[in-house]
Each structure stands twice: as structure tokens, then as C-alpha cells.
Amino acid sequence: MTEINRRTFLTVGGVGLAALLVGNGTTAANAATGSAAAAGAKGAPVPASGGTPPGPYTFGWTADDLLDFDPASTPWGRHLQCLIPRAKRIAPFAATQAHPDLDPAVQLSTLTIDDAGSIYEGHNQAIGLEAQVYTQRYWAYIDIWGTWHGQVDGPAPIEMVDGERVPGRPYGVIDIPNPGWTEAAHKNGALSIGGWFWPRPVDFDAFLVQRADGSFPVADKLIEIRQYFGFDGLFINQEATVTTAQITKFKDFLRYLKRTDPDFYLQGYDSADFDRGFVTYENRLSENNLRWLGTPDAPMYDSIFMNYWWQATTGGADRDLTKSAASARAAGHDPRVVGFAGVEHQKGGFRPEEDFGSVAGPGRPAPTSVALFVDSQIWLDGSWRGETSSPEGRSTYRDLEQRFWSGPTGNPVTSGRLEPRTPPYRTDTLNYRQWDGIAHWITERSPYGALPIVTDFNVGVGSSFHLDGVKVRTGGWDNMGSADRALTWQYWTEGDLSVVLDESTSFGSAHCLRLRGAGIVHLFKTDLTAAKTMAVSLRTQQLTSVEIGITWKDAPDAIDWRALENAGGATWMEWRGEVDVNDRRIARISLRTAGDGRLGRVSLREAGKPLQPAAPSGFSVKDAGEGGEGRRHLAFEWDVREDAAGYDVLQVGAAGATWLGRVHRGAFFAESVDLSVGRAFHLVAFGADAHRSAPARTALQ
């Protein structure tokens, strides 16, 4: 691995790294962002310039921090929990894959700078007021999501001077994931893992203390915080030499951790010698490093992230990954379960040195799975240049995201590079024409195994917010955990139809889909049924015709098109219909549309009584401190209801309601609230089908 690429970021943060990366090569894609950069750079938020955020945030943990953990005393503990269990994904079904001959056994793991573009970085803010930060909307391809950034040790505020960090800040060894990202991962059926990063300037032996009964206090606390905060495990980046005695004890530590909590997922980096503890990169799966998986009776790691040099330009250890696959099988493992070949995007962008597409693709089952390192760097680089601070700039980078995940055409069914890869690599990093797209390697996964299915195209960030077509917030916000479950394909279209994510208006979030032309867009890969009838409701603007298409699992070669009734509406037209299911299984949901307009909501549910929760109880508000410019921070709490999928917090005044935020837990911190608007507040619960409760009410005295 490149030292300046990885360790510089984790020890001094994004400021120094961004300066190093600005010199990357330019392409036509760079030139296309020029106007957005000019528009957004003036007064744009500077990443990492904000110090410590107000209210809830995560931080780095040392051994002492872990041992001192007490939910009752941990700052903002309730605000950092993920209470959403991981959704079960449906079984593969080749007939409705964008590439029917792509092997679904190949998995994808990713390490992501999940606060890319935020003014906060040393402490990670889960919910904020930033429209320019990165969020993930391609969960259909991710099996294991991991956080990647150092966090300053402990909850104490970070010193800043004129927007620059005071040097020498201590970083923790353990990072827990941003809870909003864990919520989003779980909604879509992916694992969410935190980070263990070594070296750090603390005592390694402090993590390895063992009691007389064989237990490890730090391991017990790791299990406790995993279960309390609701994430799934850790990425172990053990990348500094330790002693033979320490590595032996560390292996005992891992065996104890897995024995005590078998659900604690551990992915280890190919960086530590198994016997002696020194740093080594084998750049493949081998008889030696596969021992880190342990044995069936005493497991350690669940999988191994192979260092990038497996396909180095000169001296690559396993250029076609067949040696890795053979070694894994010889050791009794499935190579696509335990082996993830690293691809370095933090410096490589669309043109990394590693070419997983040389060993994977439709009709070419990959020998191992694949791991992406910092897929979010493209967005982060744009943030440093001020390009994500405007809606126009964000649109440019959403387009680049789409090409990264769905392929250079932006349509997963036509993924695959448009021109041959040419060295030198890690240059010309926005040239997506030489990039396959993740959809060319990984089959789409889906959590859509049952009704209801409802989306307002909420991607967890925005510059406004709408409820039922009415704007109830003007101003930026971010909360990955509030995002709707992801569309399966973005965007699989047929005919003369273009689809883009549109920030200009919304029906029930901060975005909608802009549709131009006439054709088909496939939305959800499903395996669902209903005893009788599925009720369909869509909200659109200026579309001249809309039909819903059902791909039945027992007849996958044809789409069953059903006309929808135009039920009218003011700003947003409603289209309604019903589909008699009668216990048949639905394998895909599509739309056929015409016109130049917008799609604001898709709602599919069993006909009959809506899933409307009762009004929440126990709703209260407290003043949580000065918010600047006469504003106040506020902390809300309430009782969690089993019939509620989530909650909206609103401020109510003479001019109406202002949306403050959406969460799936029983606590919310509202940053910098203008109390001149009103001191009364409503809490509205909503069900899985988006039906809303009567409000609970409280007021700040």
C-alpha cells in the first residue's frame, strides 16, 4: 500500500491529502465540471474546517475508552444507536438481473469515507445541516460496508484555529460506524462494520489484557458497544509490527471475540504475519494468511481484504486471482466468501491500477470477491474544489456516481468499458470510459421480499424537504439513516427515456426523479406476493401517461402492463391502480411513462387497512445550548413504538410547520433552531407504507 495515500489521511486527516490529490490528471469530465466549480467554490463549505459538531457525534476509542463504556454516561448514546435490524435479501433470480449471466456468488466489500465533504471529520456527525456531504445510494451492490477515516480519541472537543486543526491530536484505534450509515445498510440488507486501525500512539498490550478465566475485557466491551450501537463488526487494519508474544495474544483475543459473539463480523487486511507479527503484504490468499480465518471450531477473521498489489504492473502476485482461489479451496473455504481483492480508488478513481474486470464480468465468474477502497474519493475531491456546494455541482457528481456504479453509459444493462484501459494508471482519474462499472461485476441484490414498498427517493441529504408535496424546510440537511431503501437499478431504462435524480423539487423528501421521453424504467427487483390485491399509488408531475409493469416469476420473459387511473391532484398528480396477485410471485416492478416530468413517490401495498401508527407518547423537548445567531440547540425524546417505521420532528408556528428532521429511534437533536418561528413542536410517526399518525405535541417553556 502507498504510505502517503492511506496513513497520511488517517493520521492528519483530509486537509493534507486533498492538497496531494488536487494535482491528479484532468479529462473531459473535469472540464465539464468547470462551471459547477466556479459556481460552488465561492463561499463553499471547506471540508474538515468545522472542528467538533454540536450535539451527537462519534469519536475514536482507545482501550481505556472501551473499558469505561457505560450507555448511561456515554455522551448522546441514545442518539447514536441503530435500532433497525438487517433486512433479509431475496434469493438470486437470473431472469431479472441486468446481466442474467453474471454470477451472484461474487460479493462486494467497500471501505468508505462516509463523511466526505462534511466540515466535520475528526468527530463524525450523524445528523447535520449540510447539503453537500456524500451519501450512498447504490446499496444494491454492497454486501459489506465499512467506515474508513480516523476519529480523534474521546468525546472532548477538537481544537481548531482559523479553520485549521491543531496538530498532534490523538486518534483512537476503534471507529464505530456512523449510525445513519448502519441504518441505511441494514435497510438494504448489507453489513455495516467499523474500523480497527493500528498503529496508533497507545499501548497495544492494553487491548490484550486477559483475565484468569480466559476472557478479554476489551473484547467484551467491543461486543457490548457493537450490540448497543447496532453495527455488525470491524475491519481489522493491523498494519504495524508487534511482537511475537503480542500477535499470539491477539489471535487468542480474536478467537475469544468470535466464540463469545459469533455474529461479530471481522474482515482482516492482508498486512500482518501470522506467526511473528511483523508487517507483510502477500497480495493474494495463501496458505499462510488464510490461517487468519482460524478453524471451524475456533474462527477468527471471516474474510481477508487482499492488498492491491495482487495485480501490480510488475511482479503482481496473482494477476488472475486463480492462485488465491486455489489456496482458499485447498484450505476448505469458498474463495468468494473469504477473499476480497482490493481495488484502490482513493488515488485511482475510475482508473485504478487494479483491473478486477480482467477476471470478472457477465459470463466470466470471478475467482474471488472484490473490495473497493474509498469509492467516495471522487465526491470528496469535488468537495475540496467547492463543486458539491451547489445543486448544479451535486448533479454533476451524482452523474459520476451513476457511471461508477452502473457503468459508463449510466445504464447497468449496458455496463462495461467503452474503450480499452491504457497506462499509466491513477492518472486521468475521472475518465469513466475506461471503467466497467460495479454493475458489470456484481449482481444487484434486493431487500424487497414483501409488501409494502414505498419510496420518495430520499437519499439522506438535501437542500430542502417536502411532505406530501409541500415544502416544509428551506436549508441544507444530512442524515444517511433517513434515506429510503435504494432503487435496485439506477437507472435500467429501455426506449427513449432518460432518468436523473432531481434536487429542484420533491413530493416527500428532498429529491424526485426527472423523466424525459418515452420508455421503461425498471425500479425494484422483488420476490413478493399478496393474498389478494396489491394497491398502487404514484405521484407525478407533467407525465402524460403512466403504466405499472409486473414481471411474474413464473413468466419472466414478458412484462404484464397495467394502466393506472389518473386521480387528479394539484401540484402532484396521483395515479392509482390495483394488481390482482392471487398468490403469484412478482419478480420485478417497472414503469412505462411518457412526457417530460417528475416521479415523486411510488407506493405498493396490500389493499386494505393502511399501516397507520398511533400517535407517539412521551414526547418532550429540552434546551441543549446556544446555536449561534440567537438560535438554540434542542434535544427531543419519546417512546419508541413497534408500529412506527420512523418519526418526523416538526416545529409549528403561525406560518405553519417546519421540518427539523427524521429518525428511526426515540431521540433527536435539532441543531440551531430559530425559536422566533415558534416554540411548539409536533412528532409524527409513520408506518412502513408511509401512512402518518396524528401528532404528539410538546412546547419549549
Side-chain angles (χ1 to χ4, degrees):
M1 288 196 176
T2 306
E3 291 298 310
I4 208 158
N5 178 38
R6 300 180 66 252
R7 289 193 185 157
T8 299
F9 186 87
L10 283 175
T11 56
V12 303
V15 174
L17 180 61
L20 295 171
L21 295 176
V22 165
N24 274 358
T26 59
T27 66
N30 291 84
T33 66
S35 60
K42 185 177 181 180
V46 178
S49 64
T52 298
Y57 55 83
T58 60
F59 49 85
W61 300 66
T62 64
D64 287 343
D65 297 320
L66 293 167
L67 295 172
D68 290 342
F69 171 69
D70 178 357
S73 60
T74 294
W76 303 104
R78 286 187 63 192
H79 295 254
L80 300 173
Q81 288 182 289
C82 170
L83 304 180
I84 298 174
R86 186 160 60 96
K88 182 180 179 180
R89 288 174 162 175
I90 66 175
F93 184 55
T96 55
Q97 292 175 186
H99 294 289
D101 53 351
L102 197 60
D103 188 347
V106 181
Q107 298 184 71
L108 184 140
S109 175
T110 182
L111 293 174
T112 301
I113 299 172
D114 47 295
D115 57 0
S118 173
I119 65 171
Y120 306 112
E121 55 81 37
H123 287 151
N124 192 310
Q125 186 182 42
I127 300 175
L129 303 180
E130 301 183 273
Q132 79 282 355
V133 301
Y134 174 75
T135 60
Q136 175 59 260
R137 58 192 177 107
Y138 292 90
W139 291 102
Y141 302 103
I142 299 174
D143 296 289
I144 305 158
W145 174 82
T147 184
W148 183 258
H149 50 72
Q151 293 194 69
V152 174
D153 173 34
I158 297 170
E159 283 192 77
M160 304 285 286
V161 177
D162 297 328
E164 297 291 335
R165 294 169 308 228
V166 175
R169 303 181 309 184
Y171 281 75
V173 173
I174 304 295
D175 287 340
I176 69 169
N178 180 316
W181 283 70
T182 301
E183 290 175 315
H186 284 187
K187 289 179 186 179
N188 291 280
L191 292 170
S192 170
I193 61 175
W196 166 301
F197 186 85
W198 188 263
R200 294 294 192 214
V202 295
D203 182 10
F204 191 70
D205 285 323
F207 288 84
L208 305 179
V209 172
Q210 189 174 19
R211 301 184 183 100
D213 63 2
S215 62
F216 288 83
V218 166
D220 288 335
K221 281 296 185 177
L222 281 173
I223 292 168
E224 185 180 354
I225 68 166
R226 183 193 80 77
Q227 295 175 348
Y228 178 78
F229 291 113
F231 61 99
D232 300 297
L234 292 174
F235 176 78
I236 306 289
N237 193 95
Q238 185 65 24
E239 205 172 1
T241 294
V242 295
T243 67
T244 301
Q246 287 172 326
I247 205 68
T248 299
K249 186 67 73 173
F250 182 58
K251 288 180 284 188
D252 291 339
F253 176 98
L254 295 174
R255 294 185 186 100
Y256 173 79
L257 182 69
K258 290 293 292 184
R259 183 170 68 250
T260 308
D261 183 2
D263 293 330
F264 201 122
Y265 187 89
L266 294 175
Q267 184 176 86
Y269 180 42
D270 166 34
S271 57
D273 179 79
F274 187 82
D275 295 310
R276 287 172 287 175
F278 58 77
V279 176
T280 180
Y281 306 103
E282 297 200 46
N283 312 312
R284 52 164 288 201
L285 298 180
S286 70
E287 180 181 355
N288 180 44
N289 64 15
L290 282 165
R291 290 185 291 164
W292 280 108
L293 300 175
T295 65
D297 294 333
M300 290 186 284
Y301 292 160
D302 293 277
S303 63
I304 295 173
F305 184 123
M306 286 179 271
N307 189 42
Y308 319 110
W309 294 332
W310 58 274
Q311 204 181 53
T313 303
T314 57
D318 190 10
R319 294 187 61 80
D320 62 4
L321 295 172
T322 55
K323 294 178 183 177
S324 294
S327 294
R329 285 192 294 268
H333 302 289
D334 183 336
R336 290 178 295 186
V337 172
V338 303
F340 290 80
V343 179
E344 216 280 23
H345 295 287
Q346 188 171 51
K347 293 188 73 175
F350 285 98
R351 285 177 25 84
E353 184 172 339
E354 307 77 29
D355 182 15
F356 193 73
S358 67
V359 300
R364 292 183 299 125
T368 71
S369 290
V370 63
L372 310 181
F373 182 67
V374 191
D375 53 289
S376 54
Q377 188 67 45
I378 293 169
W379 186 280
L380 180 59
D381 287 348
S383 297
W384 277 104
R385 295 188 291 266
E387 295 166 6
T388 63
S389 63
S390 69
E392 297 80 12
R394 289 191 287 274
S395 179
T396 295
Y397 280 86
R398 300 264 184 228
D399 178 70
L400 288 171
E401 283 181 305
Q402 186 175 339
R403 296 176 194 274
F404 182 89
W405 291 93
S406 298
T409 67
N411 187 337
V413 80
T414 55
S415 63
R417 64 197 68 175
L418 300 178
E419 60 187 39
R421 280 168 43 93
T422 56
Y425 304 115
R426 298 188 181 182
T427 63
D428 197 20
T429 56
L430 293 185
N431 183 356
Y432 53 75
R433 295 182 62 82
Q434 296 185 16
W435 173 247
D436 287 322
I438 300 302
H440 208 65
W441 309 338
I442 304 297
T443 57
E444 56 275 51
R445 287 76 155 101
S446 170
Y448 296 112
L451 294 172
I453 298 173
V454 179
T455 184
D456 292 320
F457 309 104
N458 185 342
V459 297
V461 67
S463 54
S464 63
F465 201 86
H466 299 71
L467 288 173
D468 295 330
V470 177
K471 183 181 285 190
V472 289
R473 181 188 183 90
T474 300
W477 63 275
D478 62 287
N479 175 11
M480 183 75 254
S482 72
D484 296 332
R485 290 183 292 178
L487 297 179
T488 306
W489 305 280
Q490 298 180 67
Y491 300 100
W492 180 358
T493 60
E494 299 179 29
D496 184 23
L497 180 66
S498 69
V499 182
V500 296
L501 189 70
D502 184 357
E503 191 179 336
S504 65
T505 190
S506 179
F507 178 76
S509 67
H511 292 84
C512 63
L513 295 188
R514 181 70 182 263
L515 282 64
R516 290 187 173 95
I520 297 168
V521 57
H522 301 294
L523 297 178
F524 306 109
K525 183 181 181 73
T526 64
D527 185 9
L528 53 87
T529 189
K532 295 181 181 178
T533 302
M534 180 174 72
V536 180
S537 174
L538 308 179
R539 291 287 186 161
T540 72
Q541 290 182 340
Q542 299 173 321
L543 295 180
T544 56
S545 66
V546 182
E547 299 170 90
I548 188 167
I550 306 299
T551 301
W552 300 102
K553 196 166 187 179
D554 57 15
D557 294 332
I559 300 177
D560 183 0
W561 291 105
R562 306 294 181 93
L564 298 175
E565 176 191 359
N566 187 331
T571 307
W572 289 89
M573 193 76 66
E574 184 178 16
W575 300 77
R576 296 176 185 165
E578 291 188 343
V579 176
D580 292 328
V581 180
N582 296 321
D583 293 322
R584 292 180 77 184
R585 302 209 73 83
I586 299 173
R588 184 176 58 190
I589 303 290
S590 310
L591 296 180
R592 186 161 63 187
T593 70
D596 183 350
R598 296 178 174 89
L599 177 63
R601 170 175 286 181
V602 177
S603 173
L604 311 169
R605 64 182 182 88
E606 288 198 27
K609 187 176 180 180
L611 301 176
Q612 183 174 21
S617 60
F619 184 41
S620 65
V621 59
K622 293 181 180 179
D623 189 311
E626 173 62 42
E629 299 181 354
R631 297 169 178 257
R632 305 297 299 178
H633 301 317
L634 302 177
F636 297 89
E637 292 189 352
W638 58 89
D639 302 323
V640 173
R641 296 189 56 87
E642 290 186 2
D643 59 355
Y647 305 87
D648 284 323
V649 181
L650 301 110
Q651 181 182 21
V652 181
T658 300
W659 182 82
L660 298 180
R662 172 173 293 178
V663 291
H664 305 284
R665 57 184 75 91
F668 174 68
F669 176 87
E671 181 179 344
S672 298
V673 177
D674 181 1
L675 293 179
S676 69
V677 173
R679 302 176 73 89
F681 303 92
H682 286 182
L683 178 70
V684 179
F686 55 88
D689 61 1
H691 279 87
R692 300 172 66 79
S693 75
R697 295 175 170 85
T698 193
L700 186 68
Q701 303 301 320

